[in-house]
Amino acid sequence: QVQLVESGGGLVQPGGSLRLSCAVSGSIFSINDMGWYRQAPGKQRELVATATSGGYTNYADSVKGRFTISRDNAKRTVSLQMTSLKPEDTAIYYCNADVRPLGLPGGSEYWGQGTQVTVSS
């Protein structure tokens, strides 16, 4: 059973910083892309940032220069450092990973339970 567990959400003032972390556990053969998505009230889930196993990163235009994604392949973790936060960053943030479990021929997409980030004064 593959599980993704996020931590690090909370309430922060505009201009502040938060760090989200996600740990992947279970019987795993390999992890390909890992990333973060978010969903604000009344809106569709959107990509925030992704990182390949080789270290290539991709960001939504709205967070470029403010957010940094990083992953530790050995520890099976992915983090999102968020700075200069704005009220429009308020959303539930979800960890995502393309995981190939042990004993299976291919990978599947897995999601964490989500962590709330609220940016407000």
Side-chain angles (χ1 to χ4, degrees), residues 66-80:
R66 300 188 297 122
F67 291 10
T68 303
I69 188 171
S70 59
R71 61 184 284 176
D72 185 324
N73 292 329
K75 294 182 178 179
R76 298 174 178 172
T77 60
V78 62
S79 299
L80 186 70

Side-chain angles (χ1 to χ4, degrees), residues 1-9 19-26 28 31 34-36 70 75-80 92-97 99 110-116:
Q1 183 87 13
V2 175
Q3 287 188 317
L4 278 63
V5 179
E6 300 121 335
S7 61
R19 183 177 180 85
L20 306 182
S21 296
C22 173
V24 183
S25 63
I28 296 167
I31 303 175
M34 302 180 79
W36 291 92
S70 59
K75 294 182 178 179
R76 298 174 178 172
T77 60
V78 62
S79 299
L80 186 70
I92 299 175
Y93 283 70
Y94 296 91
C95 177
N96 172 274
V99 179
Y110 292 84
W111 294 89
Q113 78 284 0
T115 185
Q116 177 70 47

